[in-house]
């Protein structure tokens, strides 16, 4: 009943394991902003996920706060949305433990992010890295989220979350809303500027644009972006991955269609196209960078936002958690 009366709900989050990137902006945050009026939204800074690989404590703390400032600067309204820090809501860990007992080892072994990350961090393959998707499922299911706006790389995790929810519902009657991933048609997988065969990621500073990069750094990275030996600005993912990625970035930044962008640069070389993409991104990010810088000077305000967010999140999280605890046979506290 409750589900029918309320607005549909959204949950999503980003790890403060590096500075926010253009990839995360285009794959996720842009949609968070677009959906904030239509849905009841919770957007989280998932610091508990970030520690699945080793973090410097001071950097982690700084980045979590910067990330909140950037969420706000991107246009997320703290009145409309619940903005909070994952570790401030202990129900995530509690539900995570429970759901881990309803998840198979084999399912977690198939997660491609685990395979990639464990290959990258061979000397530190922790249990947390392995069970990470269970915590992510807890994030989503705690709030009965209907929709999870993410980039393409997170689709597999959202699908696992649905499987866990379905299994639990089957055993104990309807408990969790089954979430759907919401993946943008354009911008779901922004590639590295240095290597257009691999995803733009915060751990690759040269191929990655950070939201707080200075305009001159953005321009330099775009001018150096790897392309191909041809000259035509055409979308062809197979044969021209670099140019296709730049076209995707250009269109996502400007709202133009691929056809419009191809027509705009027809007959012009990469020497014109690459800086034009850089400029479009600089203009897109300028207000975000300026507003985030302004907000970061007001720590008291940021603190009030994350404190209130955690309170609102806990209220909702507790409802689900106590239902789950009752169903599986724990004695009420
Ligand atoms: P994370 O922190 O790696 O990335 C945050 C969001 O940005 C998207 N993204 C991209 N989209 C397009 N192109 C790229 N190059 C790119 N890089 C990142 C990601 O798909 C993601 O949407 N497990 C999640 C964090 C998480 C979460 C959750 C998400 C934890 N709990 C619950 C949704 C719901 C992660 O590692 O994202």
């Amino acid at each position: 009943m409750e589900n029918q009366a309320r607005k549909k709900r959204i949950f999503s989050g980003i790890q403060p394991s590096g500075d926010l990137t253009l990839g995360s902006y285009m794959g996720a945050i842009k949609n968070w902003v677009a959906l904030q009026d239509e849905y009841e939204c919770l957007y989280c800074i998932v610091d508990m996920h970030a520690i699945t690989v080793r973090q410097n404590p001071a950097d982690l703390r700084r980045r979590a706060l910067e990330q909140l400032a950037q969420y706000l600067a991107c246009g997320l309204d703290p009145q409309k949305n619940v903005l909070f820090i994952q570790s401030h809501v202990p129900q995530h860990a509690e539900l995570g433990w429970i759901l881990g007992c309803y998840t198979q080892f084999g399912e977690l072994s198939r997660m491609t992010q685990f395979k990639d990350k464990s290959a990258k961090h061979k000397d530190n393959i922790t249990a947390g890295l392995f069970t990470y998707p269970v915590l992510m499922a807890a994030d989503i299911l705690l709030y009965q989220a209907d929709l999870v706006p993410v980039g393409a790389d997170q689709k597999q995790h959202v699908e696992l979350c649905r499987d866990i929810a379905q299994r639990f519902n089957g055993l104990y009657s309807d408990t969790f809303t089954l979430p759907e991933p919401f993946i943008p048609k354009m911008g779901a997988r922004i590639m590295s500027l240095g290597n257009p065969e691999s995803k733009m990621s915060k751990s690759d500073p040269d191929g990655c644009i950070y939201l707080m990069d200075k305009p001159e750094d953005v321009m330099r990275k775009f001018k150096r972006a790897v392309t191909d030996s041809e000259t035509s600005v055409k979308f062809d993912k197979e044969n021209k991955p670099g140019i296709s990625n730049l076209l995707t970035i250009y269109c996502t930044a400007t709202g133009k269609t691929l056809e419009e962008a191809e027509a705009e640069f027809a007959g012009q070389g990469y020497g014109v196209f690459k800086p034009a993409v850089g400029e479009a991104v600089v203009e897109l990010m300028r207000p975000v960078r300026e507003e985030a810088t302004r907000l970061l000077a007001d720590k008291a305000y940021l603190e009030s936002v994350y404190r209130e967010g955690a309170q609102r999140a806990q209220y909702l999280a507790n409802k689900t958690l106590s239902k789950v605890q009752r169903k599986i046979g724990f004695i009420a506290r």
Side-chain angles (χ1 to χ4, degrees), residues 31-45:
N31 280 324
W32 301 2
V33 177
L35 295 164
Q36 65 180 331
D37 293 321
E38 208 181 321
Y39 291 82
E40 185 182 346
C41 305
L42 295 106
Y43 295 124
C44 188
I45 293 154

Side-chain angles (χ1 to χ4, degrees), residues 52-109:
T52 53
V53 300
R54 196 72 70 231
Q55 302 292 333
N56 172 304
D59 287 343
L60 183 61
R61 218 178 340 259
R62 172 185 56 78
R63 278 199 231 101
L65 204 62
E66 283 177 4
Q67 196 167 307
L68 176 63
Q70 290 168 31
Y71 280 6
L72 295 165
C74 285
L76 291 175
D77 180 341
Q79 301 301 322
K80 282 189 207 153
N81 306 287
V82 180
L83 306 178
F84 70 106
I85 298 172
Q86 186 184 29
S87 62
H88 292 180
V89 181
Q91 288 82 355
H92 289 246
E94 291 188 68
L95 184 63
W97 174 260
I98 295 173
L99 295 181
C101 302
Y102 297 85
T103 308
Q104 297 299 310
F105 181 86
E107 289 179 304
L108 293 175
S109 311

Side-chain angles (χ1 to χ4, degrees), residues 115 125 302:
K115 291 186 204 164
I125 306 175
L302 293 176

Side-chain angles (χ1 to χ4, degrees), residues 184-206:
K185 286 206 179 72
M186 171 96 68
R189 194 170 166 80
I190 301 296
M191 308 308 277
S192 160
L193 300 185
N195 173 12
E197 308 285 342
S198 76
K199 193 188 72 166
M200 179 180 282
S201 107
K202 37 197 157 200
S203 55
D204 159 33
D206 288 335

Side-chain angles (χ1 to χ4, degrees), residues 11-15 17 21 23-28 46 49 86 113 117 132 135-136 139-140 148-154 157-158 187-191 199-202:
F11 182 93
S12 198
I14 298 180
Q15 300 188 56
S17 52
T21 71
S24 288
Y25 179 81
M26 293 190 159
V46 290
H49 278 92
Q86 186 184 29
Q113 187 170 322
K117 286 205 176 175
Y132 170 119
L135 182 60
M136 178 162 162
D139 298 341
I140 297 166
V148 184
V150 283
D153 62 331
Q154 295 301 317
H157 288 162
V158 181
R189 194 170 166 80
I190 301 296
M191 308 308 277
K199 193 188 72 166
M200 179 180 282
S201 107
K202 37 197 157 200

Side-chain angles (χ1 to χ4, degrees), residues 27 47 59 99 148 164 168 171 179 192 196 199 231 267 286 304 309:
D47 53 351
D59 287 343
L99 295 181
V148 184
I164 299 171
F168 193 98
L171 286 166
S192 160
K199 193 188 72 166
T231 51
R286 189 187 304 281
S304 72

